[in-house]
Amino acid sequence: MPRLLAIEWIKLKSYRPFWVLMLLYFVVLGLVMSGVGFFLEYLAGINGAEINGLDPSMVPFYDFADIWQNLTYLATFLKIFLGFIVVISITNEYSYKTIRQHIIDGLTRWEFLASKLLIILAITLVNTLFVLVLGIILGSIYSPVKGLDVVFTNADFLLAYFLDVGVFLTFALLVGMLIKRTGFAIVLLALYTFFLEPIGALILSEVYDQYTFHQYFPIRAINNLIPVPFGKYAFQEVQDYVALGDVALVVAYAGLFIFLSYRLLKTRDISG
């Protein structure tokens, strides 16, 4: 396993676009998460701006223990950029024929796939740790309640976020393997995530309104891990826990994406 991770790391560490994209991603993620407080204060400064009669600057966005669901929900919107990085990582293997060279050098196809999964695991872990550290810093600054007993309350949303990002990246890996062309794969990933599946689900929900099978579509299932938390600030009832059924479904999708990726890799002619 360390050998496979080292192989992938050697390729990425000298690939400048990877570092540029990762740096941009973390800068944007940090700005978005830390900028919510300023945005709410800006809203409060606008005459008449209120949330069901509540001053926006009074919204306890960074309070422990609300902070973990709030931050992770917000952060999930940016995972598409990590998906692009994964797509580039796999499509470059086809474009530069390094995948063929790996197989010639004795790497099995499963080992090649495992090296990609390991780097996905590493990216997801670093990403989750970044959110954890930033959450502790922001919570320490803004939250009126502190202490270990409350800081990690609802921290299970961090685990849900880890799963959310990790499974989405395995989906991006499958798209990259399926399309092989970087531009087309990136466009397809974005289109499917933001348009094709949501629009398809909307149409199906209108036609078959007595069924809820659209909840089980892959992107919808992944997004369901962390429910929208902000309704509670408008005195609405929200789901403030991670449902085990949602976790099981997403884990099943992870297995399916990996299996399909392996089937593609095993049956496809990589000499071209």
Side-chain angles (χ1 to χ4, degrees):
M1 187 178 295
R3 179 177 69 92
L4 298 177
L5 190 58
I7 290 172
E8 196 62 25
W9 173 244
I10 288 171
K11 285 185 286 187
L12 288 178
K13 75 176 183 179
S14 58
Y15 187 52
R16 181 172 295 181
F18 169 77
W19 292 109
V20 172
L21 289 171
M22 288 297 289
L23 180 62
L24 281 175
Y25 169 77
F26 281 115
V27 168
V28 172
L29 181 61
L31 287 175
V32 168
M33 291 202 299
S34 59
V36 175
F38 296 106
F39 177 69
L40 292 174
E41 288 180 6
Y42 168 76
L43 283 181
I46 301 175
N47 289 335
E50 59 179 36
I51 302 173
N52 276 17
L54 179 67
D55 180 348
S57 64
M58 301 299 290
V59 171
F61 184 85
Y62 295 119
D63 278 15
F64 295 118
D66 289 356
I67 192 171
W68 300 121
Q69 186 175 5
N70 292 344
L71 287 186
T72 54
Y73 175 78
L74 206 58
T76 56
F77 285 93
L78 297 176
K79 64 177 179 276
I80 187 74
F81 294 105
L82 293 177
F84 293 160
I85 293 172
V86 170
V87 164
I88 293 171
S89 164
I90 187 64
T91 52
N92 277 353
E93 300 279 2
Y94 288 101
S95 300
Y96 299 117
K97 303 188 188 306
T98 47
I99 181 173
R100 183 177 63 180
Q101 190 59 48
H102 280 311
I103 303 302
I104 292 173
D105 290 342
L107 207 65
T108 67
R109 299 189 186 217
W110 168 248
E111 286 176 326
F112 174 80
L113 179 62
S115 70
K116 294 296 178 188
L117 294 176
L118 285 171
I119 206 66
I120 284 176
L121 182 64
I123 291 173
T124 306
L125 184 60
V126 170
N127 186 51
T128 306
L129 288 174
F130 180 81
V131 174
L132 168 65
V133 171
L134 199 57
I136 291 176
I137 293 172
L138 292 171
S140 300
I141 294 172
Y142 294 106
S143 177
V145 291
K146 298 178 176 66
L148 286 178
D149 55 331
V150 292
V151 167
F152 292 107
T153 302
N154 286 347
D156 52 340
F157 279 105
L158 284 168
L159 297 176
Y161 177 67
F162 177 84
L163 196 57
D164 181 308
V165 175
V167 176
F168 180 75
L169 296 188
T170 60
F171 177 69
L173 178 70
L174 175 61
V175 172
M177 283 197 169
L178 190 64
I179 306 300
K180 295 196 297 184
R181 300 293 181 88
T182 304
F184 289 139
I186 286 176
V187 170
L188 178 63
L189 180 65
L191 277 179
Y192 183 82
T193 301
F194 294 120
F195 296 103
L196 297 180
E197 186 184 301
I199 292 174
L202 182 63
I203 294 172
L204 288 174
S205 65
E206 291 293 328
V207 176
Y208 303 101
D209 59 347
Q210 70 272 41
Y211 300 109
T212 58
F213 51 80
H214 55 280
Q215 295 285 337
Y216 304 107
F217 286 5
I219 300 300
R220 184 66 171 268
I222 292 171
N223 291 339
N224 282 346
L225 280 174
I226 304 175
V228 184
F230 306 128
K232 61 191 169 193
Y233 301 125
F235 308 108
Q236 298 172 0
E237 188 174 347
V238 299
Q239 181 181 322
D240 58 356
Y241 60 91
V242 181
L244 290 179
D246 294 332
V247 171
L249 179 60
V250 170
V251 169
Y253 265 121
L256 178 64
F257 297 151
I258 293 171
F259 171 75
L260 293 176
S261 296
Y262 181 64
R263 288 293 300 173
L264 274 175
L265 199 56
K266 188 176 180 182
T267 56
R268 176 176 282 167
D269 179 10
I270 59 171
S271 61

